[in-house]
Amino acid sequence: MIITQQTSCRGNEMALKSIIHVLKGVGDNVDSKSKKQAERKCVLSRGRSYVAPERLTSSPCLFVQESPWASLPHELLFDIIQRIEASEITWPARRDVVTCASVCRSWRETTKEVVRTPEQCGLLTFPTSLKQPGPRDCPIQCFIRRERATSTFRLYLGLSPALSGDASKLLLTAKKIRRATCADFLISMSKDDFSRASDCYVGKLRSNFLRTKFVIYDAQPPCNLLIQSSGVLHKKFAMKKVEPKQLFGNHNVGTISYEVNVLRTRGPRRMRCTMHAIPFTAIQEGGSAPTPATFKEHVQCNSSLVSAVSNRTVQDSICSCFDEPVETIQKNTEPLTLRNKAPRWHEQLQCWCLNFKGRVTVASVKNFQLVASSGTSQGIPITELEKVILQFGKIGKDIFTMDYHYPLSAFQAFAICLSSFDTKPACE
């Protein structure tokens, strides 16, 4: 009897592995066919001097929809994907879950039913997870690698480069662009594509001249918030309808301010973050933070924004991110405000110290921990006010750790940490 049970279990494992192997082959074929179709359309519709950016195909491939795997019963399909999702909890093995979602429409919908948000399961699976709040109990641990030569910052999922190795998953990449009066950090899901016309573009972080104030801009507006936009766009359009892919909106989801050190005294930096897209009630008992369900939800919001301005002329203008910022306001609520946790002076070590619980090993002025500000502590327990929502610190040359909690998302936490890299002569 025991031998029979072991044989059946091995048979189920072999069946699941064979299914995943076939699905990977299907996904590779779909990717190659979609790229060829996009190249043909680009050549036929554009001139020789036009270079089209890489984009994901919006219409599903016929090959995928006619796949024999689409006819599986929903109960059996749900059980298969549920087993794969439960067994593959780390990258790169978790790529199998993404492969299941790329088979056809029915597999994609079933996968969305099985895969939970990072707040619920503590795992990052789809690109949408990068804009969803992190878990409430244990933080999502990441690390940032800085490349000084190219002014590039890469966010990886993992404890550290030494411990994660090849299992490190690239989440986001930022590139610093220096300008005359400010500096921009363009954030993308791609390794080297920072074009605003690309589907990989996520948002940006912009500083003022003194590098004491930073604004986090999201490429897509939050759907469950009331948006007030200044209407400033980045391109000049003629008297014609504007396509959704041509609109590049900047939606203010957060502001980071560093206190100016007037007396030039030695000590840690003092920073304050105002998250306009997160109400302060999110950290209360029973509160919730805005959680986008799918990336399609952002696209629909962009389409509604496009329809409002597509029938009128858009004038060419220069975007002024601090004179007329894009505001995100939620009625009858205050935004969540974060402050850096004050370190204590260690007499024996003669330095300022914070308890990073072993995640930070090198002293640096960039190290910080963010907690909820006591100014918005109405009805919030003291334990929630003392809870570290985001911590960032140095562990080696050009290697930093980043651990974030609910209600911040990976994108918001990464943007806040990027502000610490910029030189601040007025704050030190």
Side-chain angles (χ1 to χ4, degrees), residues 141-147 154-169 359 361 393-403:
Q141 297 177 328
C142 311
F143 66 91
I144 300 174
R145 185 188 297 273
R146 176 176 57 180
E147 298 178 5
R154 306 189 191 278
L155 176 66
Y156 293 89
L157 179 64
L159 297 175
S160 66
L163 298 177
S164 301
D166 296 335
S168 302
K169 168 64 177 175
R359 289 286 289 160
T361 57
K394 190 174 184 179
I395 60 173
K397 184 179 180 180
D398 296 328
I399 302 295
F400 303 81
T401 59
M402 186 194 85
D403 303 339

Side-chain angles (χ1 to χ4, degrees), residues 288-359:
S288 61
T291 305
T294 59
F295 184 77
K296 185 178 181 181
E297 181 178 319
H298 290 293
V299 176
Q300 291 175 352
C301 289
N302 257 353
S303 300
S304 62
L305 181 62
V306 170
S307 61
V309 297
S310 60
N311 294 325
R312 60 187 175 89
T313 306
V314 182
Q315 300 293 334
D316 185 22
S317 59
I318 300 176
C319 179
S320 178
C321 292
F322 291 98
D323 295 337
E324 294 179 283
V326 180
E327 299 289 346
T328 57
I329 304 173
Q330 192 172 20
K331 291 182 177 180
N332 303 325
T333 60
E334 296 180 8
L336 176 66
T337 304
L338 305 176
R339 61 172 179 84
N340 65 311
K341 191 175 182 179
R344 61 180 180 84
W345 178 257
H346 199 287
E347 291 292 342
Q348 296 179 351
L349 299 177
Q350 292 294 303
C351 65
W352 297 94
C353 296
L354 281 172
N355 184 14
F356 288 95
K357 298 181 179 180
R359 289 286 289 160

Side-chain angles (χ1 to χ4, degrees), residues 112-186:
K112 287 162 55 179
E113 294 179 14
V114 175
V115 178
R116 296 171 296 172
T117 62
E119 180 185 352
Q120 298 170 338
C121 65
L123 300 175
L124 300 177
T125 307
F126 300 110
T128 313
S129 304
L130 300 176
K131 292 192 176 181
Q132 293 177 340
R136 294 176 181 263
D137 300 328
C138 57
I140 294 182
Q141 297 177 328
C142 311
F143 66 91
I144 300 174
R145 185 188 297 273
R146 176 176 57 180
E147 298 178 5
R148 294 176 181 267
T150 58
S151 299
T152 306
F153 307 86
R154 306 189 191 278
L155 176 66
Y156 293 89
L157 179 64
L159 297 175
S160 66
L163 298 177
S164 301
D166 296 335
S168 302
K169 168 64 177 175
L170 178 64
L171 300 179
L172 294 169
T173 306
K175 185 175 182 61
K176 183 179 179 180
I177 307 296
R178 293 179 176 86
R179 306 188 188 279
T181 59
C182 63
D184 286 345
F185 291 84
L186 304 181

